[in-house]
Amino acid sequence: SKMTVKAVKMPCTSANVYTKVPDGGWGWTVAFAFFVVEALTYGIIKSFGVFFNDLMESFDETNSRISWIISICVFVQTFTAPLSTVLSNRFGHRLVVMAGGLLVSTGMVIASFARSVVDMYVTIGIVSGLGYCLSFLPTVTILSQYFEKRRSLVTAVASTGECFAVFSFAPAITALKEQIGWRYSMLSVGVLQLGITVCGSLLRPIVIREQEEVKAQPPEESPETKYMLENEQTCTSIESIDSGVDITTSPSNVPGKTKAEPKSEEPKQHGQNPVENKSTPPAPKTKLLDFSVMRDYSFICYAFFGLFATLGFFAPSLYIIPLSRSLGIGKDHSAYILSGMAIAEVFGRIFAGWVLNKKPIRKIYIELICVILLSVALVAFPFASGFWGLMICSVYFGFMLGTVAGTHIPLLAEDDVVGIERMSSAAGVYVFIQSLAGLAGPPLAGVLVDTTKNYSSAFYSCAAGMVLGAVFLALVRPCKTGLCHQQQQQQQQVEESTAGPPPELPDDFIDMDIGKAENSGKGSDSV
């Protein structure tokens, strides 16, 4: 059946109604909106390292205390993910993302007037962090609903927005600081982030309403066959009142006017207007937040993967510039290293989306390979020396980071994890669990740097977390196939042992019932 779209009057405010997942259409607009939202959320977070040394000098603070700004921001962003899911299910994705854009911009603008690092904790950490959560998660969720066959590729390409942002924002903000200072540069970034509100207005909701097809009526069975099937299905005597079979049913009385005749007309009535009949029953009430995914062992393992892998997502981008400065590399060249990482991440995301779009392929295993290679990249940073050594490590890390960062949330929609039906709630719970690592990761790296006086320790901590994440990711598929099947087999064995064997019926039970009925009829005639 061809895909049909319900006509709407207001293209940017009404819902799109499809008979199946469109894999395009307005979804391309949503993909563009996601690209911009990625650039103005994660792109700014990853570019925040350009303000790192300025904040240390202005507030006279240590590495660990300045790192808490991004830590609190990431923690609030991930910890409030269930709130984002609840608000999206209640008020829709559009309003939530627009409100998130206002919070992000407000927090960054106020932070430009901060007088202490504590002010930064509140403005960027709490206010903007909440806005990041309300902006990012609903956008990636609704984008996954618009695509099915090309979901991995489109999501990966659209998620390159943050890479282009890091590539362009890092040198631009660095140059802007030389002209107007870090405060007005931060103010300009906050004003730019108002674009998230515009992108939120483009997130038109989608409704998938399957069209009921008129099924061809099977050829009418012979009267004697109907009679035999009725007795076999009831497995009771025709004298029983609860048998569901009319007393008058016999090979000579079944044809024509039977009680099964009205049932044969129902498909014709449904076939006259399938859309109206399909929409007649009330739609089931959607749960605001479904925590039933926590009973799924595969999801639990995947959540622990996200928990430990988050340790390696933000710290390298945050500490690559201080590491390069400690090796005697200038400010401009340090910004180029961060930009090179961003460019490589673009290609990594596109490559991962292209590979995961191939069928048949077990996507969870491809993700595992990428996580292992990403761990190797984190270990390589401390052995780099000079500009080109750091550039090679950054490019390699950026490419592998792109393969993981652009696909780990969309993979929740795969059947190996939870599936598309429960992705909305699963994404909220998944990101919520990530919040612990988002809070502890950068400060832990900062403490190690302050203790060892060496930035290499920050990368070692990230690599350790990524290795633990790879272990849990390797357990996702076995938990889905092995443990689940074992539980089902155990339940079936218990049910079979308690139910007992089914009763055996004689082959001639129909003849026995008919003979019994005829004998009782003769007895009544003789009386």
Side-chain angles (χ1 to χ4, degrees), residues 2-81:
K2 295 183 178 180
M3 179 184 67
T4 59
V5 183
K6 185 178 180 180
V8 293
K9 296 181 180 179
M10 301 177 66
C12 290
T13 59
S14 302
N16 274 336
V17 181
Y18 296 92
T19 57
K20 63 179 182 179
V21 179
D23 268 314
W26 190 259
W28 298 117
T29 305
V30 178
F32 172 76
F34 179 60
F35 177 88
V36 179
V37 169
E38 275 269 359
L40 298 179
T41 54
Y42 281 102
I44 298 299
I45 293 176
K46 290 186 175 182
S47 301
F48 196 77
V50 299
F51 294 108
F52 205 85
N53 291 329
D54 298 296
L55 296 178
M56 290 178 60
E57 296 175 0
S58 298
F59 299 141
D60 192 20
E61 297 288 352
T62 61
N63 282 283
S64 59
R65 286 182 61 85
I66 297 298
S67 300
W68 275 102
I69 298 174
I70 294 300
S71 287
I72 295 174
C73 178
V74 174
F75 172 76
V76 173
Q77 176 189 4
T78 52
F79 185 80
T80 55

Side-chain angles (χ1 to χ4, degrees), residues 374-387:
L374 182 59
S375 303
V376 176
L378 289 169
V379 176
F381 271 103
F383 298 96
S385 61
F387 172 77

